[in-house]
């Protein structure tokens, strides 16, 4: 794995973790779900809302790109 691929993985993991923990807290606090359904719901929310990062090789070299549900198109990170 290249340096940018590792960075993309860490960005994606960090964003998912933040959204998962936030969603888990909110689901546990404000819904009547119990047991297995709290982390399962938080997992689905975190998966759907987290941005996707990918390292691609272009003619200018390797670059990091991000796609997110709240933004149109793909953004170049570096």
């Amino acid at each position: 794995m290249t340096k940018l691929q590792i960075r993309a993985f860490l960005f994606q993991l960090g964003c998912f973790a933040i959204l998962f923990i936030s969603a888990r807290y909110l689901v546990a606090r404000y819904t009547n779900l119990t047991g297995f359904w709290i982390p399962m719901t938080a997992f689905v929310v975190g998966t759907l809302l987290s941005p996707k990062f990918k390292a691609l090789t272009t003619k200018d070299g390797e670059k990091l790109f991000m796609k997110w549900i709240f933004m149109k198109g793909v953004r170049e990170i570096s």
Side-chain angles (χ1 to χ4, degrees):
M1 288 182 74
T2 65
K3 185 178 179 181
L4 279 179
Q5 287 175 332
I6 293 171
R7 186 182 294 174
F9 173 74
L10 292 176
F11 281 164
Q12 194 151 339
L13 180 65
C15 290
F16 172 77
I18 290 168
L19 288 170
F20 175 79
I21 292 168
S22 301
R24 185 177 169 118
Y25 172 76
L26 292 173
V27 167
R29 180 99 171 143
Y30 296 108
T31 67
N32 291 327
L33 296 176
T34 59
F36 174 73
W37 293 107
I38 295 172
M40 185 58 102
T41 305
F43 172 78
V44 171
V45 168
T47 301
L48 292 176
L49 294 182
S50 66
K52 310 301 182 235
F53 294 90
K54 188 156 188 158
L56 297 175
T57 304
T58 63
K59 63 181 177 182
D60 298 330
E62 194 171 28
K63 295 188 177 185
L64 186 62
F65 294 95
M66 177 188 80
K67 183 176 181 180
W68 198 19
I69 190 172
F70 299 114
M71 292 182 187
K72 252 188 175 176
V74 176
R75 289 244 171 121
E76 180 182 335
I77 302 293
S78 63

